Amino acid sequence: MAEYGYFMAAEEFGPAALVEQGRMAEQAGFQSLWISDHYHPWNDAQGQSPFVWSVIGALAEAVSLPIETAVTCPTMRIHPAVVAQAAATSAVMTGGNFRLGVGSGEALNEHIIGAAWPPAHKRLEMLEEAILVMRELFEGKWVNHYGKHYTVENARLYTVPDEPVPIDVSGFGPQATALAARVADGYITMTPDESMVSQFRKGGGGAKPVLGGTKVCYGTDRDAAVATVRRLWSNQLLPGEMGQVLPSPRHFEQLEPLITDEMVAENVVCGDDVEQHVRALLAFEEAGFDRIYVNQIGPDQQAFFDFYRTKVLPQLQRG
């Protein structure tokens, strides 16, 4: 039976609110936490973007749930040697209950250093080398690395967990999924696509965990929930590679008129229909996912947690 966790959106909430959501998630019966890692929100309406590693430190003191970034890009904005230090410290603070979710990133967050945004194949190449660097450092030994994209000289992590931090790789297409199958400790994707799960497992992933996530908007007024999703998260319905290549929140805002209420209603679970919420999450379990994370869009967080604690999670967790 799959495990169910809560997905915290650091683009939409500040540090104190995220820590409180972690507490509420644990009290509601969620089994683990995801937290996004962004420099910018997707649009100004979301309005936040705290430094994820500071929030993880606070969460480690506030809850006992396992925590994972979903996902960190360890290739441009922050050198992988520094990401390795942050991840290792997070693992120590959580008693070994931290996983590092990584991906090839978005220009939205990574372009801020002024470097050219690489094409997809190069970003995956950089990600693979970054993973190699981080795994070497997780061993707590001296590391010298002279690679195609990264140099590390005379580096050692002195604060490391008893076991190396597991690294899960995010993939939404065949190339990224193939990379995850080859090098990752687990696979992350955001749609309940059985074919991608199969590719990961047959490509070398085997029985390693497959993790997925989705967003919903609980509320007693379905039309209001649809409007909330459209206002805050219309970006998630944009097609193609726009999510990876657009460089600033204002560019995503310029595309918001392309997303209609009808598109939101068809693609995002909105409202208080228990069966609709249950079916959306069971779709991941039926596609072969081991852990499924759900995020509540909008400010009505306490009502969401009450709804899931009393109505949704009991149906998902029954044997």
Side-chain angles (χ1 to χ4, degrees):
M1 187 170 65
E3 296 181 3
Y4 288 89
Y6 186 68
F7 186 2
M8 295 183 289
E11 306 95 313
E12 194 183 335
F13 296 96
L18 291 167
V19 173
E20 182 58 27
Q21 287 174 23
R23 292 192 185 99
M24 290 191 291
E26 186 166 35
Q27 292 167 1
F30 286 99
Q31 296 165 289
S32 54
L33 299 173
W34 262 3
I35 184 168
S36 56
D37 179 0
H38 270 236
Y39 193 91
H40 292 136
W42 295 98
N43 54 57
D44 281 2
Q46 291 175 352
Q48 293 286 340
S49 210
F51 189 56
V52 71
W53 303 106
S54 300
V55 180
I56 289 171
L59 284 167
E61 293 298 305
V63 303
S64 61
L65 297 178
I67 303 168
E68 178 167 16
T69 54
V71 294
T72 292
C73 178
T75 61
M76 293 183 66
R77 174 170 41 112
I78 304 179
H79 192 283
V82 180
V83 175
Q85 184 186 27
T89 299
S90 297
V92 170
M93 292 188 71
T94 59
N97 282 325
F98 177 79
R99 299 179 75 92
L100 177 63
V102 299
S104 58
E106 303 96 12
L108 176 73
N109 300 303
E110 307 306 317
H111 84 288
I112 60 165
I113 61 173
W117 183 237
H121 74 274
K122 185 175 180 182
R123 299 200 306 269
L124 291 175
E125 185 180 88
M126 295 169 71
L127 179 60
E128 184 166 6
E129 185 177 338
I131 291 169
L132 173 64
V133 167
M134 293 188 293
R135 284 219 170 102
E136 288 186 284
L137 287 163
F138 288 154
E139 297 292 335
K141 301 174 183 177
W142 288 102
V143 173
N144 289 282
H145 174 91
Y146 302 93
K148 182 176 180 179
H149 301 289
Y150 304 107
T151 297
V152 180
E153 287 190 340
N154 303 322
R156 177 188 170 190
L157 295 181
Y158 279 81
T159 300
V160 293
D162 293 336
E163 299 292 333
V165 179
I167 300 176
D168 299 329
V169 172
S170 173
F172 305 109
Q175 290 181 314
T177 303
L179 174 64
R182 188 170 69 253
V183 306
D185 296 306
Y187 173 50
I188 293 172
T189 193
M190 301 301 284
T191 57
D193 188 335
E194 188 175 357
S195 67
M196 303 302 285
V197 175
S198 178
Q199 182 192 343
F200 170 74
R201 297 210 183 281
K202 292 179 180 178
K208 294 175 181 177
V210 175
L211 306 89
T214 190
K215 292 183 179 294
V216 304
C217 188
Y218 165 78
T220 55
D221 183 333
R222 186 170 186 270
D223 291 341
V226 168
T228 296
V229 174
R230 187 180 177 201
R231 178 174 63 86
L232 293 173
W233 285 93
S234 60
N235 61 280
Q236 68 178 341
L237 297 178
L238 294 173
E241 296 183 64
M242 283 185 278
Q244 285 71 53
V245 301
L246 295 179
S248 76
R250 75 174 184 275
H251 292 103
F252 287 94
E253 291 166 357
Q254 290 167 5
L255 297 178
E256 286 175 1
L258 299 177
I259 308 303
T260 65
D261 286 347
E262 291 74 20
M263 292 169 65
V264 171
E266 290 175 6
N267 291 279
V268 182
V269 174
C270 294
D272 59 355
D273 185 325
V274 176
E275 290 305 315
Q276 190 178 15
H277 284 263
V278 170
R279 284 197 305 271
L281 297 177
L282 284 179
F284 285 87
E285 189 167 342
E286 291 163 358
F289 285 70
D290 301 290
R291 298 172 196 163
I292 301 106
Y293 294 80
V294 59
N295 168 254
Q296 163 72 357
I297 292 172
D300 204 358
Q301 295 288 312
Q302 184 63 66
F304 163 84
F305 284 115
D306 290 342
F307 176 66
Y308 265 65
R309 175 179 55 82
T310 59
K311 302 287 182 67
V312 179
L313 288 179
Q315 293 198 49
L316 294 170
Q317 294 167 344
R318 64 191 179 194

